[in-house]
Amino acid sequence: MKVNVYSLEGEVNGDIELPAIFNEEYRPDLIKRAVISSQTARIQPWGNDPMAGKRTSAKGWGSGRGTARVPRIKNGARAAFVPMAIGGRQAHPVRSEKNHHEKINIKERRFAIRSAVAATTDKDLIEGRGHVTGDIEQFPIVVDDDICSLKTTKQTREVFKALGVYDDIERAKKSKKIRAGRGKTRGRKYKQSKGPLLVVGEDKGISLGARNHAGLDVVCVENLNAELLAPGTHAGRLTIFTKSAVEKLGGLFQ
């Protein structure tokens, strides 16, 4: 399948043959597994001290005293050690040795990435995620490699407007809201929707030029993963590829 290659002004500047990866079967089940695997790999192990609540001289009195047979501290009558006692151990504590990482086979992960790349060509999936497509004529959007050298927000803004994706960036900007719950006090006060994804063959400064746009992610094609292509396990992210990135994709994730 051939698609147009656009210049930085939004004009057609030739065409390119898409590699076979864009025709891969859509497998939402594998994509979900790959995304969850990426998310759980970042979980830092946590847990309680195994001896918490057990550092005590408490010992049961036995029967025959008309009292509950719970461990009680020496030289006193206060209960200790047991879960229902103040300062006692936890009944079922979180254990730090637990492994939270949901693993996935290498071939399945690569298949999931190929499937998520193919999903970027489906307009129904893209609009189903909530992206604003406007007057965009083709999916995926392929742009000339000159975009990789842009280093200012002003320059990239004009390019995104010419390509027709700036409305989606505005949507992501307006979606910012305060999180409900305790996360507000734990370093994640705000939530924001994901906008477009820009996949480049080589970063010559575009990460600086595009980082201020709300919801936008920039990634080199070699570092592409399922979580970037399918945020929240939902495939069909609005994606812009550079010409060199499309050419390199043909030999990746096989």
Side-chain angles (χ1 to χ4, degrees):
M1 181 174 71
K2 282 192 175 183
V3 294
N4 293 327
V5 178
Y6 293 97
S7 66
L8 301 188
E9 291 74 32
E11 299 174 354
V12 177
N13 195 21
D15 56 30
I16 189 173
E17 184 74 28
L18 293 180
I21 189 173
F22 286 93
N23 298 321
E24 192 63 72
E25 179 187 358
Y26 177 51
R27 288 289 301 275
D29 55 331
L30 281 183
I31 293 172
K32 182 174 183 177
R33 283 192 60 205
V35 173
I36 291 175
S37 180
S38 297
Q39 292 172 340
T40 56
R42 297 195 299 269
I43 294 178
Q44 179 175 332
W46 78 96
N48 298 331
D49 181 353
M51 289 300 295
K54 299 179 182 180
R55 299 183 181 94
T56 176
S57 62
K59 185 178 179 182
W61 287 351
S63 60
R65 296 196 176 208
T67 59
R69 289 180 290 182
V70 295
R72 299 175 186 275
I73 60 173
K74 296 287 183 69
N75 300 322
R78 197 177 70 184
F81 193 92
V82 288
M84 62 273 203
I86 294 176
R89 69 178 181 87
Q90 280 194 349
H92 305 286
V94 178
R95 302 187 184 278
S96 59
E97 60 267 24
K98 180 178 178 180
N99 184 10
H100 298 272
H101 186 194
E102 296 286 341
K103 294 186 178 181
I104 185 173
N105 295 333
I106 292 176
K107 289 184 179 180
E108 288 184 311
R109 179 176 59 81
R110 291 173 181 168
F111 190 179
I113 295 173
R114 296 198 305 270
S115 181
V117 168
T120 61
T121 65
D122 191 327
K123 184 176 181 179
D124 293 335
L125 285 176
I126 294 170
E127 292 180 343
R129 288 199 79 254
H131 293 290
V132 179
T133 56
D135 299 326
I136 300 174
E137 297 178 356
Q138 71 171 29
F139 299 96
I141 304 167
V142 182
V143 67
D144 200 62
D145 287 328
D146 293 340
I147 195 173
C148 299
S149 302
L150 303 183
K151 296 182 180 179
T152 67
T153 304
K154 182 178 180 180
Q155 291 174 322
T156 54
R157 184 187 300 116
E158 296 304 317
V159 174
F160 293 145
K161 285 182 178 178
L163 294 174
V165 299
Y166 194 71
D167 289 340
D168 194 55
I169 294 174
E170 287 287 315
R171 174 195 62 83
K173 184 177 180 180
K174 293 176 182 177
S175 71
K176 188 173 182 180
K177 62 181 181 181
I178 295 177
R179 179 188 300 270
R182 292 299 309 175
K184 288 196 293 288
T185 60
R186 294 176 180 168
R188 42 185 187 269
K189 183 175 181 180
Y190 296 101
K191 290 182 68 175
Q192 188 176 56
S193 299
K194 284 290 186 182
L197 174 66
L198 177 58
V199 183
V200 299
E202 185 180 359
D203 185 359
K204 298 179 181 178
I206 184 62
S207 58
L208 294 175
R211 65 183 178 180
N212 283 334
H213 294 295
L216 181 77
D217 292 318
V218 180
V219 62
C220 288
V221 65
E222 295 88 357
N223 300 327
L224 205 56
N225 61 51
E227 192 174 4
L228 284 170
L229 290 163
T233 74
H234 304 299
R237 187 173 185 181
L238 180 61
T239 309
I240 307 163
F241 293 92
T242 62
K243 186 176 179 181
S244 60
V246 172
E247 292 169 349
K248 289 181 180 180
L249 263 178
L252 296 175
F253 312 115
Q254 300 303 318

